[in-house]
Amino acid sequence: MSSVTLRNVEKVYPGGTVAVRDCSLDITDGEFLVLVGPSGCGKSTLLRMIAGLEDITEGTIAIADRIVNRIPPKDRDIAMVFQNYALYPHKTARANMEFALKLRRIPRDERRRRVAEAARILGIEELLDRRPGKMSGGQQQRVALGRALVREPSVFLFDEPLSNLDAKLRHQTRGELKELHRRVATTSIYVTHDQEEAMTLGDRVVVMKDGVIQQIGPPLEIYRRPDNRFVASFIGAPAMNLLDGEIASDGGRVRLDAGPEIGIEQAIEPGRRVTIGFRPQHLEAQEDGVPLTVRVCEPLGEETDVVLEATDGTTITARLRLDRTIDSGSSLRLRPRPDSIHLFDAGTGDRIN
């Protein structure tokens, strides 16, 4: 089994700075788990603790049921792919991929077999005799993946490996990573700040903020039922609209601080302060909708992102299917679909079910 288990893991740096707080995770054999969050949330620190590159302040980490807290990185049976590829510039792709195997005294024929198989899977056979300086960024990334693949580890660790690629190549390589995982089925832990990457790659996603896990679950579950206001605002593009308000006297409507009321499907005790959330994709044009003034239009092809302003200055983003151009300053009346509304406690930020 290549499971990874974290129990109450913490990292506190000298001076008292807490990077990771009370983190517990069960990563199953063959799972592709993505750690996502803004810069400084502790996701890379957590990955480096699993790799053995950072000491653990508290808690335990087990790989394949073996506690590895005091085991050096080279003996943890992991392979790591970094953001900067870390290829030896004077070595060919083949030599880069073979290097770790040489250190482990793997016989030459076995090294060559593993490199050839990895090159075939990654489609880089023609690059094996080329040095990194003669490769594109995408090709270097494939070689870095191949170097990890030939080690045949229990766990792959990816630290923002696509962040140096342009948008088109990043999208292409994401698909290749997903296909690679389908083929080799090795437990993989992937760190990114890009929520789109997290949603497309992960079997499950772990959302982090300030060193604390906010939510764990399949991508669509996190998108459809965020546990708190932070997850709601971080997952999804464009970001969810979040407006403060108060439950009206009938308990079935939210009276927004901006002025209008919006109907909700669930009954909540009147007078409770809440944050109401709705995604830009779930706004619809209605005659009795809230009057909004168009400020910015961003055509995306069949859809258009429209930034609108309410009478009190509150801004709302809508993603609409439009058959015409909307000029800045024009007016639209929009309402969110009642079945698409999320409610969060105004004080704690937690989801109201």
Side-chain angles (χ1 to χ4, degrees):
M1 292 290 288
S2 303
S3 61
V4 180
T5 304
L6 284 70
R7 287 288 174 266
N8 309 112
V9 171
E10 294 199 356
K11 177 65 178 181
V12 182
Y13 288 106
T17 301
V18 179
V20 175
R21 186 188 302 277
D22 196 22
C23 173
S24 294
L25 278 172
D26 291 294
I27 305 163
T28 60
D29 182 30
E31 182 176 17
F32 199 119
L33 184 91
V34 178
L35 304 173
V36 66
S39 297
C41 72
K43 57 188 184 296
S44 288
T45 301
L46 189 59
L47 192 79
R48 289 172 63 83
M49 286 193 287
I50 296 170
L53 302 176
E54 291 273 3
D55 293 332
I56 302 168
T57 306
E58 297 286 346
T60 61
I61 295 177
I63 298 175
D65 297 326
R66 178 180 65 151
I67 294 177
V68 297
N69 290 29
R70 301 184 186 280
I71 295 176
K74 66 182 180 65
D75 297 325
R76 294 194 179 196
D77 197 18
I78 56 98
M80 194 161 181
V81 181
F82 297 93
Q83 177 180 345
N84 63 359
Y85 318 143
L87 299 175
Y88 295 106
H90 62 286
K91 293 181 181 291
T92 64
R94 187 192 311 277
N96 268 283
M97 292 167 68
E98 281 188 340
F99 186 68
L101 301 183
K102 280 187 175 181
L103 293 179
R104 293 165 62 185
R105 302 185 185 280
I106 303 294
R108 184 177 184 274
D109 289 346
E110 175 64 9
R111 295 200 309 264
R112 290 298 169 101
R113 183 196 67 78
R114 292 193 192 184
V115 168
E117 176 65 9
R120 184 189 64 78
I121 291 173
L122 295 166
I124 57 173
E125 294 99 327
E126 75 283 1
L127 301 177
L128 289 178
D129 296 317
R130 199 179 298 180
R131 288 182 171 83
K134 300 293 185 180
M135 301 178 200
S136 67
Q139 290 171 335
Q140 290 183 51
Q141 184 58 275
R142 287 185 181 87
V143 173
L145 287 170
R147 182 182 54 193
L149 191 60
V150 298
R151 297 183 61 181
E152 299 181 356
S154 294
V155 180
F156 285 121
L157 304 177
F158 299 93
D159 190 7
E160 305 206 43
L162 309 185
S163 59
N164 289 339
L165 304 180
D166 62 54
K168 182 178 180 180
L169 192 54
R170 196 160 59 240
H171 183 270
Q172 176 186 330
T173 310
R174 276 208 309 263
E176 293 170 353
L177 268 177
K178 202 161 189 174
E179 174 62 16
L180 175 63
H181 182 257
R182 187 189 68 79
R183 290 186 186 184
V184 301
T186 301
T187 306
S188 301
I189 306 171
Y190 187 103
V191 161
T192 181
H193 64 274
D194 185 333
Q195 54 92 19
E196 184 177 321
E197 245 175 55
M199 295 287 287
T200 55
L201 282 173
D203 297 324
R204 285 191 303 157
V205 173
V206 178
V207 184
M208 296 186 68
K209 177 192 177 190
D210 298 334
V212 178
I213 293 176
Q214 302 293 308
Q215 187 170 355
I216 307 170
L220 282 179
E221 178 184 304
I222 288 178
Y223 178 81
R224 291 170 176 165
R225 290 185 61 81
D227 278 354
N228 57 47
R229 191 166 49 205
F230 171 77
V231 176
S233 64
F234 189 79
I235 297 295
M240 182 184 287
N241 295 294
L242 295 168
L243 303 174
D244 292 325
E246 183 178 278
I247 301 297
S249 57
D250 63 359
R253 303 178 72 82
V254 177
R255 183 182 297 111
L256 299 179
D257 294 345
E261 290 187 351
I262 293 179
I264 55 176
E265 290 200 324
Q266 60 266 58
I268 309 293
E269 61 271 24
R272 183 172 180 177
R273 293 290 301 174
V274 298
T275 296
I276 184 171
F278 48 88
R279 298 201 179 275
Q281 297 89 333
H282 297 153
L283 279 162
E284 299 175 336
Q286 295 185 10
E287 289 186 5
D288 63 342
V290 177
L292 301 164
T293 303
V294 174
R295 292 301 178 220
V296 178
C297 277
E298 299 178 345
L300 303 172
E302 292 187 357
E303 297 177 318
T304 301
D305 283 352
V306 185
V307 179
L308 307 113
E309 187 176 313
T311 53
D312 71 334
T314 301
T315 59
I316 293 172
T317 301
R319 176 164 285 183
L320 305 172
R321 286 183 172 269
L322 301 173
D323 56 4
R324 59 188 175 87
T325 301
I326 301 181
D327 296 326
S328 178
S330 58
S331 180
L332 288 177
R333 286 182 171 270
L334 303 174
R335 275 193 183 277
R337 299 201 315 259
D339 63 349
S340 70
I341 287 173
H342 305 262
L343 287 182
F344 306 96
D345 185 88
T348 65
D350 292 337
R351 181 182 188 85
I352 299 173
N353 293 312

